[in-house]
Amino acid sequence: MTVQVLVKPNTYIDSVSLMSLSTKANQIEIVEQAIIAMGTEMNKEVIRNVGLMTPEVESAKTSDLVIIVKAASEELCEGAFDSINDLLTKKKDSSKGKSEVKYSTITSAVNGTPEANLAIIAVNGSYAPREARKALENNLHVMLFSDNVSIEDEIELKTLAQEKGLLMMGPDCGTAIIGNVALCFANAVRKGNIGIVGASGTGSQEVTVRIHEFGGGITQLIGTGGRDLSEEVGGIMMLAGIKALEEDDATKVIVLVSKPPAPSVEEKVLAQIKQCKKPVVVWFVGGNEEKVTQAGGHFAKMSKEAALKAVLLAGADESKLNKRALNLPLIEEVRAKLNPQQKYIRGLFSGGTLCDEAMHIAMEKFDNVYSNIQRDPEYRLKDVRVSQDHTFIDFGDDQFTQGKPHPMIDPSTRIERFIQEAKDPSVGVIVMDFVLGFGAHEDPVGAMLPAIIEAKQAAEDEGRHLEIIGYILGTELDSQNIEGQINKLLASGATHASSSQNAGLLAREFVVKGE
């Protein structure tokens, strides 16, 4: 194999575009491996770890674009560079003819567009706090997509935003809908009268699409970033988000979405709910019903339940809703197909909260549930490459995304793991999510389809049934054609779950023995 490097001095590309470009570069037929990244120390560390470091990469500056190609020959590497340059050129051309103006600084952007009131920042984490601070000082709300921002910087930025009456969404905030405009990873959903404050990207996406399916709609989805409800940050942005939605005339019902918050922060949020004049639905994964109810909130144990309560509080007629109950005959049918040794679930997720929800559902019946995101150290995977009993993996976690695009964009890592899990004779069910919407893969089910078909055939040849559950998070308004995605999944012999909640429940019930 030959490795060649191209360094483009002073060529900046934002992290969202880099993820997309890297995915496309790795899909070029002649490419064994490709990396497109800025020359930061963190990226160099990743490149070093995968054995592609060269003197050219070592000497690249943080403002330089680094392109590394591994292919079978020098000639093929050259061909790959041509294709990657075409991708870079296409990116530049795509912005032409849309009356867009490119600004090189926050200050020039503010001067050039004085009517703007929100900045989306997706730069390297080393520079992100400085740019976010500039935006806040110029009275812009901020959505900070960047991660690798220190918690001290996050607290300082959110405190500044609070003082100025602005939203500081993030860092590591990938999902928002503001003024009916979806930002970064979000789904196309109907406008309505339900507002969401979410410390979880895919969890918030799931609630928006379920609300849409029940006929409701969204006013605003305010993302907070995943650390907002930590002890250190103290829920600054979730509290600000509740206040903003309470003051928003168009919002009639508020929904809060988060992984389990720190206890002291949960108390603060519940205290604000108690004072809130609008109904608040609370879906904190693994949350406490009694505490929420005592605060006057509406407790939801799972995602679909949260969406259902929200639309009912917003005025929907329950008798006209299709709640998509579990398919009980299917549960009996699948149980009968699995042999006694097939006891375990393997959950392979691109969405962290979807993984968390399925894991908590399994934990209600099983005490041997492991994960890379388990809060209890005793049940955290010691080696994320090796599953143990019931295992649920969030492939969007940092362990899997350093130097690689998010699995919602590039499914290759999850496909490799799926093939590994499908060979395990103790596995009865593999459950996966497929996320549609802005920024997501154009055909997530199609990318997994050959592996599913091959794995099911291999299991059948060995005399066992392998049950695969797929949940597709999206709406009919998303560009990926959700009906087409469902049809592909069903044609492969997999089971389609109609929601994240149902996917988790089906997976758990399929492997229960002796009931």
Side-chain angles (χ1 to χ4, degrees), residues 75-103:
E75 189 181 0
L76 290 178
C77 283
E78 292 299 332
F81 280 131
D82 289 342
S83 300
I84 291 170
N85 274 323
D86 287 345
L87 292 174
L88 293 170
T89 306
K90 199 180 289 180
K91 179 183 179 302
K92 285 181 183 173
D93 289 345
S94 68
S95 65
K96 290 180 180 177
K98 294 181 180 176
S99 303
E100 291 181 357
V101 180
K102 193 171 182 177
Y103 298 102

Side-chain angles (χ1 to χ4, degrees), residues 15 19 121-123 125 128 142-150 154 157-158 168-176 184-185 198-202 223-228 259 394 396-398 401 406:
S15 53
M19 286 195 290
I121 298 174
V123 300
V142 172
M143 180 177 183
L144 186 54
F145 185 85
S146 313
D147 57 5
N148 293 302
V149 173
S150 74
E154 178 172 353
L157 290 169
K158 287 185 169 174
M168 175 65 226
M169 299 183 283
D172 201 15
C173 177
T175 301
C184 297
F185 297 111
S200 149
T202 49
T224 67
R227 288 190 310 212
D228 190 69
K259 292 178 184 177
D394 170 16
D397 199 50
D398 290 347
T401 56
H406 193 280

